[in-house]
Amino acid sequence: MSQKINPKMITLARESRGLTQGELAKRIGEVQNRTVTQGTVSKIEQGLIGVSEDFLDGVVKVTKYRESFFYQTDEVYSAGMSQHRKRVSLPAKALCKIDAITNIYRLHIKSFLKSVEGIEIKVPYYDIDEHYDPCKIARMVRQAWLLPRGPVDNLTRYLEKSGIIVVHCDFDTNMIDGVTINVNDRTPPIIFVNKNIPGDRLRFTLCHELGHIVMHKYPSEDMEKEADMFASELLMPEADIKPSLAYLSLHKLSSLKLYWKVAMSALIYRAAKLGQITERQTKYLYMQLSKAGYRTREPAELDIPKETPMLLKRLINIHMEDLSYTVKDLATIVHYVDEDECCGLYLEKSARRPALSVVK
């Protein structure tokens, strides 16, 4: 029996593979040809009983994480410590899996940063209780980042310049767009965005999540609405876009979409909020979008190219090139048994030469 194993890591490994306690018990029993009960898994995860060598071996075989994974002492952050841009109907099991996956990414990034210096966190913070108006805060962020008037050319670049790490994730569901983990553990804020959403929605999601980082230290009832207001103002500043939002049609919305790099539905919503179209016009335009099939998928020819994050790729590039890590080395520090899984996450594409340096 070992008292050094962190029970939270067993929960994290299990949930990241989409398994319930009963399913993990059954899978361990199958690979070891013995009976393991859900009660045993539950008691271990609650820290009520220790972890036997047989049980740990079974967890390793089922979850494909190295034994070293389960000795990590880092905190695991639940949904209450992170923000999600999700649909209300997202099942709890799916949300647990997403929380687990993003926590594991965070642990990987924390490991990568041990050998690298150069990420300076320069994210402004404006307390929503002090400033009240999310739109005002968005304007303050634009000023702090010296953004020019008009559309934001590459939002991801500005996020990464401020020290925020952006990760495109496969959430295995279209019911969640983004997740942010922003905790004081010497890790930069990390925005995880669903890589399967269109480029315009991806940008709005990034901006929504930025709103949480900039305005919200603690959850609140209005935080999602406030983050949407922040994102709308930062991507579509009232002073710049308002004159263009009168007399809207689908044809005009198409042109505005390409210029502002936001969805046509977001433009309609913005026009309504700024009083440039009436309630009747708003309903009519949404009906037009629905009739054309654009409420679920706007025209492919109007797709906004997805912005490519580079900061995490640079971290990997330093390890592989400057520090001479092998794929096996990389898999070891992120605790994967399967080197191919590590490659799938981090080595699909080569990164350009990083503007970061090795810790001496």
Side-chain angles (χ1 to χ4, degrees), residues 99-302:
D99 273 335
I101 290 170
T102 53
N103 266 280
I104 288 171
Y105 263 114
R106 179 184 59 83
L107 294 175
H108 292 178
I109 290 168
K110 194 172 181 180
S111 294
F112 298 148
L113 289 172
K114 290 178 181 178
S115 302
V116 176
E117 61 184 13
I119 296 182
E120 182 182 358
I121 302 172
K122 299 179 290 186
V123 186
Y125 176 74
Y126 304 101
D127 193 327
I128 187 67
D129 293 329
E130 179 180 342
H131 295 279
Y132 302 108
D133 184 3
C135 294
K136 176 184 176 183
I137 293 175
R139 291 191 289 271
M140 293 166 72
V141 170
R142 286 186 72 106
Q143 290 174 357
W145 283 359
L146 302 178
L147 290 176
R149 295 187 61 175
V152 181
D153 179 45
N154 188 323
L155 179 63
T156 300
R157 184 172 67 238
Y158 284 103
L159 292 172
E160 293 190 324
K161 283 174 65 177
S162 73
I164 297 172
I165 294 178
V166 176
V167 182
H168 287 189
C169 271
D170 187 353
F171 290 140
D172 200 27
T173 176
N174 63 356
M175 298 179 69
I176 185 165
D177 288 351
V179 179
T180 294
I181 297 184
N182 182 27
V183 292
N184 186 22
D185 68 345
R186 298 183 181 179
T187 307
I190 309 170
I191 297 177
F192 302 90
V193 64
N194 191 333
K195 71 177 186 179
N196 297 313
I197 61 178
D200 49 21
R201 204 162 98 204
L202 189 147
R203 278 167 51 89
F204 195 92
T205 297
L206 286 174
C207 207
H208 175 101
E209 298 300 322
L210 173 63
H212 286 315
I213 295 171
V214 168
M215 299 187 294
H216 300 132
K217 283 188 176 178
Y218 307 103
S220 69
E221 183 179 349
D222 296 325
M223 64 189 299
E224 295 304 315
K225 181 173 70 174
E226 290 166 352
D228 278 345
M229 292 172 63
F230 171 91
S232 293
E233 177 63 24
L234 194 137
L235 291 174
M236 298 170 280
E238 178 179 357
D240 298 334
I241 198 174
K242 188 174 181 178
S244 304
L245 294 178
Y247 309 107
L248 290 180
S249 64
L250 289 191
H251 178 72
K252 186 175 181 180
L253 284 168
S254 299
S255 299
L256 290 172
K257 173 189 173 90
L258 293 174
Y259 180 72
W260 288 97
K261 301 181 182 180
V262 297
M264 289 191 286
S265 57
L267 288 161
I268 295 172
Y269 183 82
R270 187 68 168 145
K273 283 295 182 181
L274 295 179
Q276 292 297 86
I277 54 175
T278 65
E279 183 178 349
R280 183 177 179 180
Q281 289 171 322
T282 302
K283 290 181 179 178
Y284 175 76
L285 287 168
Y286 279 136
M287 286 176 57
Q288 290 291 99
L289 286 185
S290 296
K291 187 177 180 180
Y294 296 163
R295 291 303 297 269
T296 54
R297 178 68 167 90
E298 295 187 2
E301 62 270 20
L302 299 178

Side-chain angles (χ1 to χ4, degrees), residues 49-119:
I49 60 176
V51 182
S52 68
E53 290 184 7
D54 282 346
F55 183 87
L56 180 59
D57 179 67
V59 173
V60 169
K61 288 178 179 176
V62 170
T63 65
K64 305 299 182 183
Y65 294 109
R66 294 173 186 257
E67 187 174 315
S68 57
F69 177 92
F70 302 95
Y71 289 87
Q72 296 178 94
T73 58
D74 297 82
E75 284 295 326
V76 176
Y77 297 99
S78 66
M81 294 297 292
S82 57
Q83 287 86 39
H84 306 78
R85 187 166 188 247
K86 63 182 178 66
R87 314 295 184 272
V88 175
S89 55
L90 178 68
K93 183 180 178 181
L95 183 56
C96 285
K97 181 176 180 179
I98 290 166
D99 273 335
I101 290 170
T102 53
N103 266 280
I104 288 171
Y105 263 114
R106 179 184 59 83
L107 294 175
H108 292 178
I109 290 168
K110 194 172 181 180
S111 294
F112 298 148
L113 289 172
K114 290 178 181 178
S115 302
V116 176
E117 61 184 13
I119 296 182

